[in-house]
Amino acid sequence: MCFFEIVSIALMFFSPSDFDTSLSVELLIQKLSSKSELDHAIARQLLSLKNPVVVVPKILPFLESEDPDIKGTTRNILIDLANDSKKWGGDVRKNLSHILIESFLDSKRSTSAREDILKALIFTVDDEVDLLPLKEYLINEEWREKIRTALVEANTKPAKSLLCDSLDVLDDKAKSAILLGLYQLDGVPCEEKVISLLSSSNPELRASAVLSLSNTPSPIYAEKIFQVCVLEPEISDYYQQNWDSLLRITERILQTGGNWSYAINLYKKILAFSKSQSIVCSAIFGLGRYGDDSVAEFLSELVITSEGEKKKCAMCALSQISSKGIADKLLNLCGRLSLEEQAMLLPGLLRENNREINETVINILSTPIGKEKFINSFWEEPNCNYLNYLTYLDKDITEIQRNKIIQSLWKYVSTNTEENQECKGKAYMLLYKMAPPDEKPYAMSGLKKFPITEVTQDLLQDILKEGYDSLPFPLLFELYGALPNEDERKGRLKGLLISQIKESSLELILSIVSESKYLDNFPSLAGFITSWKLIGPFPWSFGEGIDSDYGVLNAVEGNKGVEFRGKRFEWKSVKTEGWGYVNLMHLCEGKDEECSNICAFALANIKITEAQESYLLLGSDDGYRLWVNGELIDAKNVDRGMKVDEEKLPIKLLPGSNKILLQITQIRGGWNFCARLVDKENKPLKFEMEGN
Amino acid sequence: MRAFMFWIGTFCLCCTQGTLIADEETYLLFKKEKIGNAIFESASVFDVNKDGYLDIVSGEFWYEGPELEKSHRITYLEPIDDYYDNFSDFPMDVNGDGYLDVVTGGWWGKTLRWRENPGKEEKNWVTHDVEEVGNIERCLFCDLDNSGIPEVIPITKPVLIFKLKFTENGKPAGGFEKIVIETEGGGGHGIGCGDVDGDGSIDLVFSGGWLKSPQNPYDTKGWKWFPEFNLGSASVPILVFDVNEDGLNDLIVGSAHDYGLFWYEQRKDGEAKREWVKHDIDKFRSQYHDIQLHDIDNDGKLELVTGKRYRAHAFHDPGSKDPLGVYYFKITNGKFERYTIDYGPADRASGVGIYFWVEDIDKNGWKDIVAPGKEGLYLFRNYGLIPK
Amino acid sequence: MMRRRDFLKKTSSLFFLSSSSYFSKALGNSQSLSNSVRIAVIGTGGMGTRHLEALAVNPQCVILAVCDVAKSRYYEAIKIVENLSNKTPDGYQDFRRVLERSDIDAVFVATPDHWHPLITIMACKAGKDVYVEKPVCTTIQEGRAMVDTARRYGRVVQVGTQQRSMPVFQKAMHLIHSGVIGTITSARAWVGVNEWKAGEKIEPIPKGLDWDLWLGPAPYVPFSKERFVGFMGFFDYARGGQLTNWGIHLMDVVHWGIQQDSPLTVYASGGSYRQGAGADNYETIEAVFEYPGCLVTWEQRHSSTHGNKAYGIAFYGTEGALFIDRNSFIIKPDSKGIPEFIGEPEKSWANPQHHNNFFECIRTRNIPVADIEQGFRSTSAVLLAGISLRCKRKLVWDKNTERFVNDSDANKYLIRAYRPPWHL
């Protein structure tokens, strides 16, 4: 009969109020005797949801069954109930623990049943359940190991104290087993006993005591372990193990913090006193993982004074340290090492960037091991500095190596670090160059988001093929610069660029174009007046305002010079610098005393075809006065830095030639200005300049 | 052949003094505890609730000693970017009720404030504004007039001294009186106090020079400005201390937003002009914002205790991504020897924030370090020298 | 030319044996291939034999020794190597003899799961680099000890999650990382059921088998063929059956794709509904993991398929989904126009590219492509699911302390008591 049939029959004879939990438990337990696997499965599911104190005593007999399915299912139900016992609350759990302990103590049960009960007990006990009844079984040889296992895995206070107590009565081998159990748990419960065992004459016991102390980050324990290590004879079976424990506790101390100098010194002592090669190297690696610049100093010395394995370990360790000031040490060392050895220092060298490092790295890359190390280190711990060398490396590597680089690049661009935008752009650029054709489109879409620093011909062609209307400013600007002048698409690109300059924030654009090698294209695109004639510097002071014109107003026509206070001044032709500003410091030769409290004039001749509403967008350091065709338009006497487009001054430009004259004052510090012309929609004005 | 070389190598290593620290090295035993995840950059230690146990105060919370597990709220602070407007937590009984209050100030609030300890009541502390003075990097607390109570100097320009007011019967009156020093000196990042010229009165030291105190520090016109050096963006405080024990006080300065820890040796030959000679203590660590002198190892001499202020300017300062650390330097014959208590990346190690506190919190005779900061609030309990 | 070292031979030392030369490869020579890595294969059962077949014909290495607790197995292994390479390796029953040899540079560990941690750790301490099969361990404590030991001794430890070296997976990852399916908000891994049954027949220990050594750190029990051959069905040796057998491979790929390695929470549920209610390891399982920003599910069921694949991994992103197994991957929706990528069919579970990456890293001392830390994290994910399965509740995992939050009962599963004298 199937389950539902039984239940419905049962329902016929019992009203709902009689259908209490114990009854359904009986029914379910009946299912355990069934031959059907499905019955077992359901029994397990449903019994596991019932109150364990009720179920467990009833199912324990099934643990004795000969049928492996019944026995196995019962065991599983027991484990399920034990694991889930917490939800029934403290009293149920306690009762369950007592039931299990009693059942275990019942020697009429089979050994395997008692073992199963023990396994369940692990999950029902907590710090309140006393485990003393198990003590005699811990001493008893037949059960000792199983009880020990149960106590260790139960990991409660009573369990640990029982383990500790047994240390008093067991023989050495058994003591050692107890200590190995305590080693797996946190803390050292019976500290005094364990420490006293450090001086045991039995090396195995000694070593187990050392082991059980080695997980606690205590310098006091470390000192004791060190004593044991130093006194342990080299031929002892436990020589290496003890030193390994010392290494472990040193690591713990460094991970927890608070005793850095002590622990680093401990590594150095291990290095000096241990006679095992692998322990010495491990101490060196420890110095590499946790060390600072002073440790780097020590390791460099070690590289110089050691040979063979130790030297290699020291080099590897040294290249792991990432504090400031390492680069110089590494470069110094490179002078004394062969190229293959220098390859081991690559990760350290590549954390910083300067000309000397560049030269050294390129040398190292000429060796096969150098290439392998570079590629694997880039994969392991990528940073921006590696990118510069990848183009150099591209020529001479295998397919597999290229694949590895491409993998690393994809990993690099997809991880969300606050890395430099320019670096990501570089990485996408490299991906575009190196990735297989089916991945190039994805590299391209990445490129569209980051500033790129050089445009190859294929990239150019691909982008132009795709269409460039929706490309962002950085990419458009690079394309515009890379296209030859005759290219008819250049005009279209120019239009797109100009419309973006109109819309976007100019400061952001300026920061982008300043990095570009096509920077020279920018000023005219944005409408900057790039050709000026300057005259000055004239003495001036902030206090007096900007009133005097020193006779310059009369010198605007015909290139006339000016004489002021016995000195002769002539107009000088200059062009803007960078993205389109005029640096007036040239007039005073940049000397502090001479470059303060002065002013100068700048004159530009603008030709337009038809009159229209126009604005002069001006930024100046410091103050200014503006005349257009002889009429004073505006003045501001301020102390400020130059900010592009700070002033928006409406001006009337006539068809034909127009003279724009600026007087720019200088208090101290920077002295410059920038001026551009836009129409009423803020688009750069179309004009010609004299002197262009 | 190789085996032999290996043994010689080790033996030589043992002999070379420079590379191996001799076995007489003794180290202090510290136990590091995380008190809280709160990222306030200042902390202090005092008995908040007068129960005989020292507590830790940091920003919005104070932690009840001796277990330091229970925390109580002091006030609510608004975060601004990744800062809080709370750059010191100095204990001072301002209103005379017998309970220590907290004097503080921050960069954005521009206001010197004190928070009133509610005493037995469990409620938030009331914050009283003393005065709006300008951006406060971190107040200097210095006893200029030898009264036993420190005065508060919150900013570097203008030079203002806030002195605790007292009633007639000598109890604190709940406020401060402001004294404005008339001088063109001051300004810049960094401030310290000490007797620079050995005349017995406490002078003030700034990034661009020092202000010589008249006999009466409240003689506002009597301070003289000596722009004798340029310390850059200096630590708060700048320490006045005779490093080389030649009778002339020197300056110990950290670079608060860049690399470096330095000392400036004072040289003065009789009536000749005073000279300051710069020496490097540490070139490779940055953000030494708070530096203090304490005898941390009970050897009778003062050590320089300091550490990194993590993300002092978010990630904009040079070295802001370098490992953090807590250090002390033993000073002998003009030489600084660094001992590192903690060192490592921000998710594992601790720095010291902008205002840390050294005090024997558990009364075992050894000074402990309370290290706040954006990486978390840590306590380094000092247990004395590690027995050999 | 680097000279060999002679080391003091340590007799019968239990755990720490003389180290062989760390850098005897290549640093003096520029041609890496002319110096083969000298290896031994420990555990020459099913997977071990696959490795032998590939390694015997790989010019980058030479097999000096094979080892198995059952003599018949290592006799077989010797024959296999002889047939393929005309070289005769030495045969051992006890892996400790292998680790004592100073002329062995690296070992391959293909034993049952419960031995992976200890042999790896002891090999590291003996100065060998290690290629360890998955799953890396059976408890979190073991895995952490493996990573710590590898780092402490500066050893290269590669985990047998060879999908990291398979082009079909690498290509899929490039696409995923380039953002073609957008941000991944959920992922799924699925496989077929466990088919273990309860019950074992106790028998006398067969001749030539060192049963105590086979058990190693696991509790001592009498011999049965069911345990010896079907160890994956027993909790003492494998913590989950398919969950830890295939689970590692598939969760490893999930981690690779979402670029995370530790779940925040896990809830697993399941049971054995058709057969094996009495067996240790469950038949049908579903586990849900919360990762930062992503929900991941693991499924183990009858007649399992998704997207026409009987097993595999799926990534669901804001702009599309990707379905992958060892043969091919496909990106949906079709409107994205990305053709199905069909890789080379897998010829054997032993992957020569994966082996070669191991050998290359031995030369350069770099982290290999399936490093032990990464393998430990992939293993952890399924171990945590297994624990949640037994505890029948959602568990919150703290990856920094490597403990469950507020659950001391669940934390008991993080360790297993090692049978002395074996210890981590």
Side-chain angles (χ1 to χ4, degrees), chain A residues 243 246-247 250 266-274 279-280 283:
Chain A
W243 283 104
L246 186 57
L247 285 169
T250 314
L266 194 49
Y267 271 137
K268 291 181 183 170
K269 274 163 63 172
I270 297 174
L271 230 164
F273 285 90
S274 175
I279 300 289
V280 164

Side-chain angles (χ1 to χ4, degrees), chain A residues 265-302:
Chain A
N265 190 48
L266 194 49
Y267 271 137
K268 291 181 183 170
K269 274 163 63 172
I270 297 174
L271 230 164
F273 285 90
S274 175
K275 305 206 176 51
S276 154
Q277 169 83 354
S278 68
I279 300 289
V280 164
C281 267
S282 301
I284 295 176
F285 290 136
L287 288 171
R289 276 149 65 203
Y290 296 100
D292 67 358
D293 50 305
S294 63
V295 172
E297 185 72 55
F298 176 80
L299 287 172
S300 311
E301 287 282 312
L302 208 54

Side-chain angles (χ1 to χ4, degrees), chain A residues 193-205:
Chain A
K193 283 194 196 153
V194 175
I195 290 180
S196 72
L197 290 171
L198 286 176
S199 26
S200 160
S201 54
N202 178 334
E204 183 185 3
L205 193 48

Side-chain angles (χ1 to χ4, degrees), chain B residues 1 62 224 245 384:
Chain B
M1 180 61 186
W62 67 275
K224 274 187 77 179
E245 291 166 34

Side-chain angles (χ1 to χ4, degrees), chain C residues 37-56:
Chain C
V37 181
R38 298 163 301 179
I39 63 173
V41 177
I42 301 175
T44 55
M47 192 64 211
T49 306
R50 305 279 91 71
H51 281 302
L52 283 171
E53 289 162 356
L55 294 166

Side-chain angles (χ1 to χ4, degrees), chain A residues 37 41 76 83 93 122 125 148 153 183-184 186 240 244 251 309 373 376 380 407 414 438-439, chain C residues 16 22 141 152-153 170-171 174 259 276-277 279 360 364 366-367 403 409 412-413 416-418 424:
Chain A
E37 293 247 28
N76 284 343
N83 272 318
R93 253 166 86 87
I122 293 172
V125 293
R148 188 201 74 104
E153 292 182 7
Y183 159 63
Q184 289 193 262
D186 282 336
Q240 296 251 143
D244 178 73
E251 272 165 28
E309 308 286 311
K373 181 78 181 175
N376 281 301
E380 189 178 323
Q407 250 194 50
S414 66
D438 59 344
E439 290 174 30
Chain C
F16 290 88
Y22 181 92
Q141 187 182 56
R152 186 179 310 140
Y153 289 85
Q170 290 171 343
K171 177 72 75 177
H174 292 178
Q259 293 177 310
E360 181 171 310
T364 65
N366 280 108
I367 300 259
R403 296 256 188 291
D409 282 353
K412 291 179 186 180
Y413 276 109
R416 57 183 298 177
Y418 262 35
L424 287 170

Side-chain angles (χ1 to χ4, degrees), chain B residues 40-44 56-63 74 89 372 377:
Chain B
F40 306 105
E41 297 191 85
S42 68
S44 59
I56 294 180
V57 173
S58 174
E60 285 182 343
F61 301 100
W62 67 275
Y63 303 82
I74 295 175
D89 281 314
L377 175 65

